[in-house]
């Protein structure tokens, strides 16, 4: 076996943050090996290719990655334009993957990470041992790989949270799987469109994804083939000004417009809002339709479909043999957790962070990107890029650069996935946080909001009134 410093750094996940990590490592003269479970780079992003980001191209391209791409003759997209998930994958992530060449392996599922000859119990000479990473390839072959460090950028996309507020699946949720989805549907797909057209659909969640799903359903209801389409927005808390995010005050205008579009969908009668409702069970009525039952015994009118957009959670199963220091609530690194706790912070109060906040008792392993946030919903691509810049510098031994902050985040409103709406011509009302009076209501004061066809989020967001 090579000496530890001659081994590559293994990066788990070839999404935006993982690929950026590889670029920063190469810039430092360190060999990366990127392992992607999906069939192609950006596999998760490709699953929401119909979505348009609320960040511009200038905000979703990593500087080190751009330098690497420049060597290939890559043409940078218009920095002021808003890409869709498909654009992001095809025009940036795939060219970046191609530039990495054999340093990227797809169809490579990481099933375990440990130290060579040391399970999590053993202290003796632990830090001197390289990491061993067990991989299962799509064709069934297994392999052990060795690394000087491990950067886990595998995200949370494959682990959506359930409908129930308890964190467990609602009673009957699994049995209703044929009518429940945990993704914003692509209503431009004819088969998907037919599933929701003319139907009554519950949308559970209070973040960017929920905003977008409501706007999509409203858009469908206005179309000739969507007559009778109706949304039911299920909120665990009450309605207040902050429910709809930062509005026109948001430094990311398209992000602020998401909440305004959701408000317009309700105001204009395309969706009702059931507030103060915490789902306990999903039952079927005599006609096979779904009935949401609340913890307080309330039963909502039957719906045909349910879209659950209540956030995501990290898969920590393959990290069971390494010593992680995770916050008991958020499942985020203990030093980072207080900065991103959605009980206390919105996007504007989270300052950029790096290797210090991302470190663990097990030296040399880092959780980055959306996975570093555990169950917290507030995340931006540029945050992940700053994380891996710092982590790569730390692995290279350049602590001065690793400790330096090289990013200023936009403030106001709530963070989370993606979604683009055209600039709204509307006001954002203020209001105190969270008045959780249980009720089914339609909001007053219709608000005109121009909504683009492609609008949505990779992950739900939450501010002080997030569910």
């Amino acid at each position: 076996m090579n000496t530890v410093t001659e081994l590559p750094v293994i990066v788990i996940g070839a999404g935006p943050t993982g690929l950026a990590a590889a670029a920063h490592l190469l810039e430092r003269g360190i060999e990366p090996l990127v392992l992607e479970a999906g069939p192609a780079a950006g596999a998760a992003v490709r699953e929401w290719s119909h979505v348009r980001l609320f960040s511009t191209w200038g905000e979703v391209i990593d500087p080190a990655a751009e330098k690497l791409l420049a060597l290939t003759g890559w043409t940078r997209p218009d920095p002021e334009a808003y890409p869709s998930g498909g654009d992001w994958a095809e025009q940036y992530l795939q060219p970046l993957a191609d530039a990495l060449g054999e340093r990227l392996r797809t169809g490579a599922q990481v099933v375990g990470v440990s130290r060579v000859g040391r399970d999590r119990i053993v202290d003796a000479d632990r830090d001197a041992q390289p990491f061993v990473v067990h991989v299962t390839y799509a064709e069934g072959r297994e392999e052990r790989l060795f690394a000087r460090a491990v950067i886990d950028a595998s995200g949370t996309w494959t682990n959506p949270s359930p409908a129930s507020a308890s964190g467990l699946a609602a009673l009957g949720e699994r049995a209703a799987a044929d009518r429940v989805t945990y993704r914003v549907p692509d209503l431009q797909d004819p088969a998907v469109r037919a599933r929701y057209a003319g139907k009554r659909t519950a949308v559970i969640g209070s973040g960017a994804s929920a905003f977008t799903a409501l706007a999509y359903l409203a858009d469908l209801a206005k179309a000739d083939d969507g007559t009778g389409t109706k949304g039911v927005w299920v909120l665990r808390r009450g309605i207040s000004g902050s429910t709809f995010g930062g509005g026109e005050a948001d430094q990311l205008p398209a992000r602020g417009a998401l909440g305004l579009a959701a408000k317009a969908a309700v105001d204009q009668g395309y969706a009702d809002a059931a507030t103060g409702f915490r789902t306990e069970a999903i039952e079927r009525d005599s006609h096979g339709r779904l009935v949401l039952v609340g913890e307080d015994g309330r039963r909502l009118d039957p719906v045909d479909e349910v879209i659950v957009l209540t956030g995501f959670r990290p898969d920590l199963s393959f990290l069971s043999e390494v010593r992680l220091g995770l916050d008991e609530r958020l499942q985020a690194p203990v030093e980072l957790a207080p900065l991103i706790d959605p009980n206390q912070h919105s996007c504007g109060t989270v300052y950029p962070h790096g290797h210090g906040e991302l470190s663990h008792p097990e030296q040399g392993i880092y959780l980055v990107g959306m996975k570093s946030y555990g169950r917290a919903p507030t995340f931006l691509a540029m945050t992940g890029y700053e994380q891996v810049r710092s982590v790569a510098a730390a692995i290279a031994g350049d602590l001065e650069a690793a400790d330096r902050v090289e990013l200023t985040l936009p403030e106001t409103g709530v963070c989370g996935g993606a979604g683009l709406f055209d600039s709204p011509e509307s006001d954002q009302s203020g209001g105190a946080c969270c008045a959780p009076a249980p009720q089914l209501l339609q909001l007053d004061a219709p608000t005109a909001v121009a909504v683009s066809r492609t609008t949505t989020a990779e992950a739900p967001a939450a501010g002080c009134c997030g569910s």
Side-chain angles (χ1 to χ4, degrees):
M1 185 186 302
N2 296 331
T3 62
V4 173
T5 56
E6 293 175 337
L7 293 172
V9 172
I10 287 183
V11 179
I12 305 173
T17 306
L19 293 175
H24 281 278
L25 290 166
L26 283 172
E27 193 172 54
R28 291 277 177 178
I30 299 172
E31 277 296 309
L33 176 57
V34 184
L35 304 175
E36 167 57 48
V45 175
R46 294 173 192 273
E47 291 193 25
W48 48 271
S49 60
H50 60 292
V51 173
R52 195 166 298 279
L53 280 72
F54 59 52
S55 297
T56 64
W57 272 114
E59 295 161 337
V60 298
I61 295 175
D62 175 77
E66 184 171 4
K67 292 177 184 177
L68 181 60
L69 285 168
L71 299 176
T72 70
W74 177 74
T75 301
R76 188 176 193 262
D78 178 0
E80 299 302 317
Y82 290 88
S84 67
D87 296 335
W88 204 16
E90 293 302 327
Q91 298 179 43
Y92 171 65
L93 299 179
Q94 189 59 54
L96 184 52
D98 293 341
L100 291 173
E102 294 183 354
R103 297 182 177 99
L104 168 63
R105 300 181 188 180
T106 57
Q109 177 75 52
V110 173
V111 296
V113 178
S114 187
R115 293 277 191 179
V116 173
R118 308 287 189 276
D119 63 18
R120 67 181 297 151
I121 299 174
V122 179
D123 291 331
D125 203 28
R126 184 178 190 85
D127 292 341
Q129 304 305 312
F131 287 95
V132 58
V133 177
H134 285 218
V135 184
T136 299
Y137 294 95
E139 70 274 16
R141 180 172 62 91
E142 297 180 339
E143 186 177 16
R144 287 197 313 163
L145 300 171
F146 302 97
R148 62 184 289 185
V150 175
I151 299 175
D152 183 358
S154 59
T156 57
W157 178 253
T158 59
N159 288 288
S161 296
S164 169
S166 68
L168 304 175
L171 298 178
E173 184 171 346
R174 295 185 182 92
D178 61 323
R179 300 286 187 89
V180 179
T181 185
Y182 300 86
R183 306 285 188 262
V184 175
D186 180 4
L187 297 185
Q188 299 310 303
D189 181 312
V192 176
R193 191 175 182 86
R195 175 174 174 175
Y196 295 94
K199 305 292 180 59
R200 181 176 170 88
T201 299
V203 178
I204 304 175
S206 65
S209 291
F211 294 164
T212 301
L214 290 165
Y216 270 18
L217 292 171
D219 192 37
L220 177 58
K222 299 172 189 176
D224 292 340
D225 63 342
T227 302
T229 303
K230 184 79 171 185
V232 179
W233 189 13
V234 181
L235 292 145
R236 294 171 182 168
R237 299 189 182 182
I239 295 281
S240 75
S242 58
T243 299
F244 303 100
E248 293 178 344
D250 201 312
Q251 289 188 15
L252 293 178
R255 181 179 66 191
L258 285 170
L260 299 180
K263 184 176 187 299
V266 180
D267 288 345
Q268 295 167 7
Y270 297 111
D272 295 324
T275 64
F277 191 93
R278 295 175 176 268
T279 306
E280 181 178 77
I282 299 178
E283 300 177 353
R284 290 186 188 263
D285 68 7
S286 58
H287 301 287
R289 302 180 79 197
L290 302 182
V291 177
L292 301 187
V293 182
E295 292 177 354
D296 58 2
R298 283 188 299 154
R299 304 170 67 89
L300 300 185
D301 290 340
V303 297
D304 302 287
E305 299 284 342
V306 178
I307 302 174
V308 180
L309 301 169
T310 53
F312 295 83
R313 54 188 60 180
D315 177 8
L316 301 169
S317 61
F318 61 88
L319 300 174
S320 62
E321 293 306 316
V322 291
R323 299 171 177 179
L324 301 180
L326 298 176
D327 179 77
E328 61 185 9
R329 294 171 302 163
L330 299 184
Q331 296 179 301
V334 291
E335 296 296 325
L336 176 60
L339 309 180
I340 61 174
D341 187 345
N343 293 299
Q344 302 180 35
H345 298 283
S346 71
C347 172
T349 59
V350 180
Y351 65 81
H353 51 274
H355 76 106
E357 292 85 356
L358 299 171
S359 62
H360 294 276
E362 190 81 68
Q363 296 182 25
I365 188 165
Y366 301 92
L367 276 58
V368 300
M370 191 69 206
K371 189 164 186 177
S372 72
Y373 271 41
R375 298 193 183 199
T378 57
F379 193 78
L380 296 171
M382 62 184 90
T383 299
Y385 298 158
E386 171 67 3
Q387 288 179 340
V388 296
R389 180 206 64 77
S390 173
V391 166
I395 292 173
D398 186 354
L399 295 183
E400 180 181 355
D403 291 337
R404 189 166 59 239
V405 174
E406 296 186 2
L407 172 69
T408 301
L409 288 172
E411 297 184 359
T412 307
V414 294
C415 298
L420 169 66
F421 289 83
D422 297 335
S423 298
E425 297 178 358
S426 59
D427 293 328
Q428 169 68 12
S429 62
C433 241
C434 305
Q439 54 185 310
L440 181 68
L441 53 84
Q442 178 170 320
L443 302 182
D444 296 322
T447 306
V449 179
V451 182
S452 73
R453 267 277 190 204
T454 47
T455 63
T456 189
E458 176 182 359
C464 57
C465 290
S467 66

